Amino acid sequence: MRKMLLAALLGSFAFPGTGRAEPGDVVAMDHGAEIFRRIVVEADYAARDGGQWRWHVDGWIGGDSERVWIRSEGKIEDGRAEEAELQLLYGWNVHPFWDVLLGVRQDFEPRGETYLAAGVTGLAPYFFETDATAFLSTEGDLSLRLEQSLDIPVTQKLIAEPHVELNAFAQDVPERGIGAGFSGVAAGLQLRYEITRRFAPYADLVWERALGETASIARGRGEDVEVTTLRFGVRAMF
């Protein structure tokens, strides 16, 4: 799945746009037919389980009122792809701070599956970047992913970014070892040094835990339900 990582990165170059919106990226209206873009790519490494690589791509290309979003994330562990997904979404700006999204998600690992995706993304009060997306698989499985983050300038170039992700499923998905209800949470603190606003190395301390029935399934399989990882990576914006 290194090819998947490469495809995601190439995709970000092919569609220069955005990933996580930032407080300064509030949509300015009435730009006519001008096309804008912003894509954020993050790639990092953690020295655990034989070496763990992760990537995260989030961005858009478009105008004031309509945009095409591209998102991808995944994990390569001990040289083998454990997770890989790609999303292509169409977005409508319904408020200066919010877009409504509709599109598809394709999973490549741990198993190939296609989803209908619908959600919102924008800037909540107190500058919390917020993404909430619901997914409906071709097998009829319904799930929800909620992400929030906040940029806190420590100095002009050093940024602290606490972030959290919560996942929930409406039903058991036995083939993925997932139980109905809240399935997992991840919370972390990223410190990045912006050499320029478009390029920054970072360190990210992330705590992940399986929840509810999903945690019970993991324990039954002899798997860890809680891990803490220190990641080192780079962030680029196009």
Side-chain angles (χ1 to χ4, degrees), residues 146-226:
L146 174 64
E147 299 171 87
Q148 278 201 312
S149 64
L150 174 68
D151 279 358
I152 303 174
V154 179
T155 68
Q156 192 170 11
K157 290 183 175 291
L158 183 63
I159 308 297
E161 182 188 347
H163 54 90
V164 63
E165 176 180 324
L166 181 65
N167 288 280
F169 285 76
Q171 64 292 300
D172 295 339
V173 188
E175 61 274 21
R176 294 183 57 186
I178 292 173
F182 291 110
S183 60
V185 62
L189 177 64
Q190 182 189 97
L191 284 175
R192 66 176 183 271
Y193 185 79
E194 294 186 344
I195 297 174
T196 70
R197 189 165 183 270
R198 295 182 177 275
F199 182 80
Y202 66 80
D204 198 358
L205 183 64
V206 181
W207 170 78
E208 299 171 276
R209 196 184 195 291
L211 302 175
E213 183 62 25
T214 301
S216 299
I217 294 171
R219 290 191 189 94
R221 292 177 172 182
E223 300 172 355
D224 294 331
V225 299
E226 181 176 325

Side-chain angles (χ1 to χ4, degrees), residues 35-217:
I35 301 298
F36 302 94
R37 62 184 186 273
R38 180 176 179 275
I39 289 183
V40 174
V41 179
E42 294 183 349
D44 56 45
Y45 175 79
R48 58 167 293 131
D49 299 326
Q52 193 178 88
W53 290 92
R54 291 177 181 265
W55 76 88
H56 184 277
V57 179
D58 191 2
W60 55 258
I61 181 170
D64 290 335
S65 58
E66 297 177 68
R67 301 169 173 180
V68 175
W69 289 74
I70 181 171
R71 293 172 167 172
S72 178
E73 61 184 51
K75 178 175 71 173
I76 298 171
E77 193 170 282
D78 196 19
R80 187 179 64 180
E82 298 288 334
E83 302 170 9
E85 70 170 55
L86 177 67
Q87 296 181 41
L88 189 61
L89 308 157
Y90 202 83
W92 293 268
N93 182 243
V94 295
H95 181 275
F97 296 99
W98 292 95
D99 280 9
V100 172
L101 307 177
L102 180 65
V104 295
R105 162 185 156 191
Q106 178 64 48
D107 281 9
F108 300 93
E109 299 289 349
R111 57 195 293 265
E113 190 152 14
T114 304
Y115 299 79
L116 175 67
V120 295
T121 183
L123 194 64
Y126 302 103
F127 299 105
F128 282 95
E129 292 297 332
T130 302
D131 292 309
T133 310
F135 302 102
L136 180 64
S137 78
T138 53
E139 302 296 324
D141 298 325
L142 180 64
S143 60
L144 176 67
R145 181 183 298 167
L146 174 64
E147 299 171 87
Q148 278 201 312
S149 64
L150 174 68
D151 279 358
I152 303 174
V154 179
T155 68
Q156 192 170 11
K157 290 183 175 291
L158 183 63
I159 308 297
E161 182 188 347
H163 54 90
V164 63
E165 176 180 324
L166 181 65
N167 288 280
F169 285 76
Q171 64 292 300
D172 295 339
V173 188
E175 61 274 21
R176 294 183 57 186
I178 292 173
F182 291 110
S183 60
V185 62
L189 177 64
Q190 182 189 97
L191 284 175
R192 66 176 183 271
Y193 185 79
E194 294 186 344
I195 297 174
T196 70
R197 189 165 183 270
R198 295 182 177 275
F199 182 80
Y202 66 80
D204 198 358
L205 183 64
V206 181
W207 170 78
E208 299 171 276
R209 196 184 195 291
L211 302 175
E213 183 62 25
T214 301
S216 299
I217 294 171

